[in-house]
Amino acid sequence: MTSNILSLPFRKTRSVSLSEAIKQYISTKYDQHPDMFRQDLEFIDKLRHAAVHALEPHASGVRKIQEYAAQLVWMGGKFPIDIGADFTWFTALGYNTTKPTSQNNIRFELANILFNLAAMYSQLAMAANRSTSEGLKSACNYFCLAAGVISHIKTTVIPEMRSTPPDDMDDMTLESLEYLMLAQGQELFWQKAVKDGLKDGSIAKLAAKVSDLYSEAQDYGIKSDGISSEWIHHMSAKHHHFAAAAQYRAARDCLEKRKYGEEVARLRDSLTCVNEALKEARYLNKVVLSDLNGLKNKVSEDLKTAEKDNDTIYLLPVPPKSDLKTLDRASMVATRVPVEVSDPLPLLGEKGELGYPLFSKLVPYSVHVAASIYADRRDRLVNNTIIDELEGLTAKLHELLQSLNLPGSLQALEKPLGLPPTLVSHAEEIRQQDGINLLQRAMTETEKLRASDRAVYEEAVEILRAEAAEDEQARRKHGTDRWKRQKSSEAAAQLYSQNREIDGYFKSASNSDNLVHEKLKEHERLIRLLSGTDRDLEDFVPSSRRATMSAKLEREASKLRGCLNEVSRLESRRKRKIETLRAKAKSDDVNPDLLREAARLEREYPMQAIEAAQFEDFFEGRLRRYDSDEAMNKEEQEEQEEMSTRLQQANTSFLEARRGDASTREREQALQSLENTYYKYREIISNLDVGRKFYNDLAKIVARYRDDCKNFAYQRRAELSSMESDFASQMAALTLEQRHPQVDALNQQRQSQIQHPQYAPRPPQEQPLTAPTPTRTTWEPNMGIKFSN
């Protein structure tokens, strides 16, 4: 440091092709072709290059950074934060400025860019001509802007990152930097007040506020891992320096008001504060140290004069420090977030101050999210609500038929020989679908999907387990008192909760799979029979003698046949309704209307990012087109209840009419078992389709979960490496401090040995040599001066 104030250093980065990441994302996620945005893609790279290379304190650099930052904010409404570009930045503060941090995160990039904007403002303040009042005023303004940008990073950008911030962007570091910028801005205003010749009382209030702000900066700096000890010592010295300056100016004000005793008390406190500041002397640069020594000399001289005058002339009591009134504060600074940072989107436009909004013709990412949300809600409404209810009604109807032993009992009576037409058609359907082989292939495919999902899930669990083991090993190594970071289960509580949730999915799905396997095992023999030839079916279904049907029995059988035909028609009609409803949902293209709604929102809320939540009313209105289909379910249910009643009554009358006739019982049971097996076959197919869809959906969940675990483990390992590096630095410094006394003792010992050498004992000599007696001659005037030859 070569100045009495500090400036933030710029953060450095590595080059990255943001345009390539955006191009790849557009080509995979959007319907529009990336070539439509060729100019925008080229321009975003130029903007980044200009912004990251604006490393000299010049007003043009401010605009370059603001333009790129505004585009990043604008792009946040069109792309997800993890767009696919790994932004690499180096920390600017602390002891690890050579360690890079990389994140696939647009907000991470924005935080680093805005930090450089704060650094630019602070360096512009440093570069201002502080020898003039205007220069001081300008520099003060720059420091307030720097504090505002840091505050914006802390309160707005970092919370939206959804990831761990860089080492020197934690809350404590940013708080310390914000107060430091404000303290330096207040100091410059104090300097302007001194230059402009304001009254001592006013200058004292300004200086007291400077001291407070430096104290706050120091307190947060001590709690930060990103603020170097050199800066903390600087803040401490400044805090005491301006406490002394405030008391000195208050003493001068007392002198003017003839409060001579209080003048002495405040000068003494001022001298105490200066001495406290000078305790940091070995850590301070020459400029700060010179300021302190100059103030100390001035205070000492004035105190000596004041004490002498008071002791000999005024004889006023000197109050103790505790009785001195606390000085008032006058704050002339405040955090000022530039509008280009706090609300940049209105400044983007055809003739906007910050340029034209890039990718403005690209459908916003939130619109795609909204389309996905609508499709998901529509599919849940159609499949889970309407179609599931209809299929549930059909399943109840089949259960009723099975309980009544229909249509087997009627078929056995109507056709005592051969195979009933419905059974033949069911068998033909199963043969065309390859019957048992279809089910086995579907089961094999489902098992492969489950195994694949399980492998991805186990990989994620292993990542969490390995990270937890590394954390526990570090905790044992460094001790729980020093290892302050959260345990893995606490730091990633959501991931661990999700772990249990996904494990529950697998257990539930496994139980369902086992039920399907049992169902297939139970009906496999008859499904194979239905997949075989008609001769095999004829051999299985016994023939019965043709019974003589009375008029009553014939009448009741006809009535029952009419009810069964009615059931078949109902089922066929219901099947067509389901197919029509699925086709309706499939053709429900929401995109054109969604784009029109997005355009309306953009007109009503110009230049503001569109959120998916803004389409809720649109979703609600559009889903009303399925209200008639939902109402259809109630009609179907009422119709089925009436039909079931008629069917039961007809079956009761039929059984009464053929009471005592057991000639067709065996055939009846065989036909009914085949009819039941057909419906079980269809049920198993439906179960397998649901299972296959479940595992395909689960694959996306576990893949995303694995990626989240990888990101968490990467961040934790980076954090662990940083903490261990910090511990190593602290231990090295501590070891060095501990070695200083040892080195001093060793030096003293060596000096003692030089002065009083302890040599090994020598053999006695016969006549020891006599040491010469030293003589000292003092020059006297009468001795004259002798020159050597």
Side-chain angles (χ1 to χ4, degrees):
M1 296 182 294
T2 58
S3 173
N4 61 351
I5 59 176
L6 302 174
S7 64
L8 299 179
F10 288 110
R11 304 172 78 82
K12 295 181 180 179
T13 183
R14 290 176 179 165
S15 61
V16 60
S17 181
L18 180 54
S19 62
E20 281 300 318
I22 297 174
K23 183 177 180 180
Q24 181 66 24
Y25 194 86
I26 292 174
S27 64
T28 56
K29 300 292 184 180
Y30 288 79
D31 295 333
Q32 294 157 287
H33 197 278
D35 288 345
M36 295 172 58
F37 309 98
R38 185 182 294 109
Q39 292 183 347
D40 290 354
L41 290 167
E42 293 174 358
F43 196 60
I44 191 64
D45 280 345
K46 291 179 180 178
L47 282 177
R48 185 178 196 274
H49 182 271
V52 301
H53 287 88
L55 303 178
E56 295 294 332
H58 194 274
S60 62
V62 172
R63 182 57 74 191
K64 291 175 183 177
I65 296 174
Q66 287 176 346
E67 287 177 351
Y68 179 53
Q71 293 294 345
L72 289 176
V73 175
W74 165 255
M75 287 163 55
K78 293 185 173 292
F79 302 105
I81 61 173
D82 54 341
I83 194 171
D86 288 325
F87 300 102
T88 301
W89 286 87
F90 294 84
T91 55
L93 301 172
Y95 303 100
N96 294 316
T97 56
T98 59
K99 186 185 77 171
T101 302
S102 297
Q103 287 192 27
N104 173 20
N105 191 321
I106 290 180
R107 289 290 173 178
F108 172 75
E109 170 84 344
L110 179 61
N112 284 278
I113 283 293
L114 289 180
F115 187 96
N116 272 8
L117 180 59
M120 178 67 76
Y121 281 132
S122 71
Q123 294 196 25
L124 284 170
M126 286 280 288
N129 182 6
R130 302 198 301 277
S131 62
T132 65
S133 294
E134 282 302 316
L136 288 169
K137 184 178 179 181
S138 175
C140 177
N141 181 56
Y142 280 133
F143 276 129
C144 290
L145 291 172
V149 174
I150 292 170
S151 175
H152 181 76
I153 294 172
K154 178 187 65 181
T155 58
T156 303
V157 181
I158 296 295
E160 293 178 354
M161 277 178 56
R162 301 201 294 269
S163 63
T164 305
D167 293 343
D168 55 351
M169 282 197 194
D170 61 286
D171 283 348
M172 295 297 103
T173 301
L174 294 178
E175 287 281 2
S176 177
L177 295 180
E178 183 180 348
Y179 277 110
L180 175 62
M181 296 297 104
L182 291 175
Q184 296 186 153
Q186 179 83 3
E187 178 180 350
L188 294 180
F189 203 92
W190 167 86
Q191 189 177 342
K192 181 178 182 296
V194 173
K195 181 179 286 294
D196 293 345
L198 268 64
K199 291 183 178 181
D200 289 315
S202 299
I203 296 175
K205 294 176 183 178
L206 293 172
K209 185 61 180 179
V210 176
S211 178
D212 292 347
L213 292 171
Y214 272 118
S215 178
E216 292 284 352
Q218 178 196 358
D219 290 345
Y220 283 111
I222 292 172
K223 299 173 186 176
S224 162
D225 293 330
I227 304 296
S228 67
S229 59
E230 182 184 10
W231 278 31
I232 293 173
H233 289 304
H234 174 89
M235 296 171 192
S236 176
K238 285 284 191 173
H239 161 57
H240 293 298
H241 180 176
F242 279 92
Q247 290 290 28
Y248 173 69
R249 288 289 176 169
R252 291 186 57 171
D253 187 55
C254 290
L255 175 61
E256 185 178 346
K257 295 177 180 178
R258 300 182 180 181
K259 298 178 181 180
Y260 304 111
E262 184 178 342
E263 176 197 8
V264 172
R266 291 196 181 277
L267 285 172
R268 287 176 179 172
D269 188 46
S270 177
L271 188 60
T272 300
C273 292
V274 172
N275 289 330
E276 281 294 321
L278 285 170
K279 289 181 180 179
E280 310 284 357
R282 62 173 175 162
Y283 304 105
L284 305 178
N285 66 36
K286 294 180 180 179
V287 179
V288 177
L289 194 56
S290 175
D291 290 346
L292 282 171
N293 285 323
L295 178 60
K296 180 177 181 180
N297 293 336
K298 185 63 178 172
V299 172
S300 298
E301 290 174 5
D302 287 6
L303 177 59
K304 184 176 180 181
T305 302
E307 286 178 335
K308 180 180 178 182
D309 290 348
N310 192 54
D311 291 344
T312 58
I313 303 174
Y314 307 115
L315 304 176
L316 292 178
V318 178
K321 180 180 178 180
S322 58
D323 290 346
L324 292 176
K325 180 185 176 182
T326 303
L327 297 177
D328 292 334
R329 269 63 174 165
S331 178
M332 303 304 296
V333 293
T335 56
R336 289 183 49 219
V337 186
V339 67
E340 294 86 353
V341 172
S342 62
D343 192 19
L345 297 182
L347 302 178
L348 291 172
E350 291 289 345
K351 298 181 180 179
E353 295 179 26
L354 299 180
Y356 178 80
L358 302 179
F359 309 102
S360 58
K361 295 181 180 179
L362 183 68
V363 177
Y365 174 74
S366 56
V367 174
H368 288 269
V369 173
S372 299
I373 292 173
Y374 174 77
D376 183 59
R377 291 186 185 178
R378 179 200 62 208
D379 292 344
R380 282 206 308 269
L381 174 63
V382 170
N383 296 321
N384 299 353
T385 302
I386 302 175
I387 292 179
D388 277 3
E389 285 184 7
L390 287 175
E391 291 180 340
L393 289 174
T394 304
K396 287 182 179 179
L397 195 57
H398 290 158
E399 290 174 3
L400 176 62
L401 291 172
Q402 290 177 24
S403 66
L404 299 177
N405 205 24
L406 292 173
S409 59
L410 184 60
Q411 288 174 344
L413 182 65
E414 291 178 335
K415 191 173 178 59
L417 301 173
L419 300 175
T422 54
L423 180 60
V424 173
S425 66
H426 290 165
E428 183 61 26
E429 179 184 338
I430 293 177
R431 290 189 201 106
Q432 289 180 357
Q433 294 177 352
D434 202 15
I436 195 70
N437 294 327
L438 171 67
L439 297 180
Q440 289 176 344
R441 285 196 302 271
M443 282 191 169
T444 302
E445 182 182 348
T446 302
E447 288 172 0
K448 287 180 180 178
L449 289 173
R450 179 180 61 197
S452 176
D453 292 353
R454 190 79 195 184
V456 175
Y457 169 68
E458 291 294 345
E459 182 183 353
V461 171
E462 183 57 32
I463 290 171
L464 286 182
R465 188 181 296 116
E467 191 284 322
E470 291 173 3
D471 179 67
E472 187 59 31
Q473 183 180 359
R475 198 176 301 278
R476 288 197 301 267
K477 177 181 177 182
H478 298 286
T480 54
D481 292 338
R482 298 179 60 204
W483 198 253
K484 297 296 185 182
R485 77 169 182 170
Q486 289 181 309
K487 291 184 177 180
S488 301
S489 57
E490 297 171 355
Q494 185 176 357
L495 288 178
Y496 278 83
S497 174
Q498 200 173 354
N499 180 7
R500 294 187 292 271
E501 187 177 340
I502 294 175
D503 187 53
Y505 292 160
F506 277 110
K507 289 179 180 178
S508 176
S510 179
N511 293 334
S512 299
D513 292 343
N514 290 336
L515 289 176
V516 175
H517 278 278
E518 290 297 325
K519 202 180 295 183
L520 176 60
K521 184 177 180 181
E522 180 182 351
H523 297 88
E524 182 177 0
R525 184 178 67 85
L526 292 182
I527 293 174
R528 288 186 181 278
L529 183 62
L530 286 168
S531 301
T533 63
D534 287 347
R535 182 174 294 278
D536 295 332
L537 290 173
E538 290 172 351
D539 292 342
F540 177 77
V541 178
S543 299
S544 61
R545 62 181 178 80
R546 182 175 295 277
T548 304
M549 296 177 63
S550 64
K552 181 180 179 181
L553 179 58
E554 190 171 350
R555 185 173 62 253
E556 296 301 333
S558 176
K559 187 187 295 183
L560 182 59
R561 170 54 60 192
C563 290
L564 289 175
N565 290 339
E566 194 176 347
V567 168
S568 298
R569 285 193 297 272
L570 172 66
E571 190 173 351
S572 298
R573 187 178 74 246
R574 188 172 288 170
K575 187 176 181 180
R576 288 193 300 273
K577 283 183 178 180
I578 290 175
E579 292 174 353
T580 302
L581 182 57
R582 282 180 173 148
K584 177 181 177 180
K586 187 176 181 181
S587 63
D588 184 8
D589 184 8
V590 73
N591 288 323
D593 292 340
L594 201 56
L595 288 174
R596 281 192 287 272
E597 178 67 9
R600 183 188 69 80
L601 291 172
E602 286 182 342
R603 286 193 302 271
E604 292 185 7
Y605 308 98
M607 306 309 295
Q608 291 190 10
I610 298 175
E611 301 292 338
Q614 294 175 271
F615 295 95
E616 284 298 329
D617 292 340
F618 172 80
F619 296 155
E620 186 177 345
R622 190 174 182 86
L623 288 173
R624 289 199 188 101
R625 61 176 57 192
Y626 297 97
D627 288 350
S628 60
D629 299 297
E630 284 191 271
M632 174 188 69
N633 281 11
K634 295 180 181 179
E635 298 173 3
E636 290 279 338
Q637 184 175 359
E638 293 173 359
E639 183 180 355
Q640 180 168 315
E641 288 175 356
E642 295 174 1
M643 183 183 297
S644 298
T645 301
R646 292 195 301 271
L647 180 66
Q648 288 173 309
Q649 292 172 351
N651 186 63
T652 301
S653 300
F654 172 72
L655 293 177
E656 286 290 334
R658 61 174 299 207
R659 185 186 298 275
D661 183 11
S663 60
T664 61
R665 181 157 301 170
E666 290 184 5
R667 179 176 175 81
E668 180 181 315
Q669 291 175 349
L671 291 173
Q672 189 61 42
S673 64
L674 290 174
E675 186 75 14
N676 294 344
T677 299
Y678 167 73
Y679 287 113
K680 283 295 178 183
Y681 168 79
R682 289 176 56 183
E683 182 181 324
I684 293 172
I685 287 180
S686 176
N687 293 154
L688 290 172
D689 287 340
V690 170
R692 186 164 52 247
K693 184 177 184 304
F694 169 80
Y695 284 118
N696 281 326
D697 293 341
L698 186 60
K700 300 175 185 176
I701 295 174
V702 294
R704 187 164 57 247
Y705 178 66
R706 178 191 58 187
D707 293 342
D708 291 343
C709 290
K710 283 182 177 179
N711 291 335
F712 169 72
Y714 173 79
Q715 293 167 7
R716 290 276 285 185
R717 288 193 181 103
E719 182 184 13
L720 183 146
S721 176
S722 175
M723 290 178 68
E724 290 195 328
S725 177
D726 291 344
F727 284 157
S729 300
Q730 293 171 10
M731 289 300 297
L734 182 61
T735 304
L736 197 58
E737 290 177 3
Q738 292 175 345
R739 285 174 57 190
H740 283 165
Q742 299 173 3
V743 172
D744 293 342
L746 185 59
N747 289 336
Q748 291 176 6
Q749 181 180 352
R750 289 176 178 171
Q751 190 67 26
S752 175
Q753 289 176 353
I754 292 172
Q755 295 176 358
H756 308 285
Q758 298 177 0
Y759 300 111
R762 295 182 179 181
Q765 298 179 354
E766 295 180 357
Q767 293 182 351
L769 294 173
T770 304
T773 303
T775 59
R776 178 175 297 169
T777 304
T778 305
W779 180 81
E780 297 291 344
N782 57 8
M783 295 175 62
I785 299 175
K786 297 181 180 179
F787 297 94
S788 61
N789 294 328

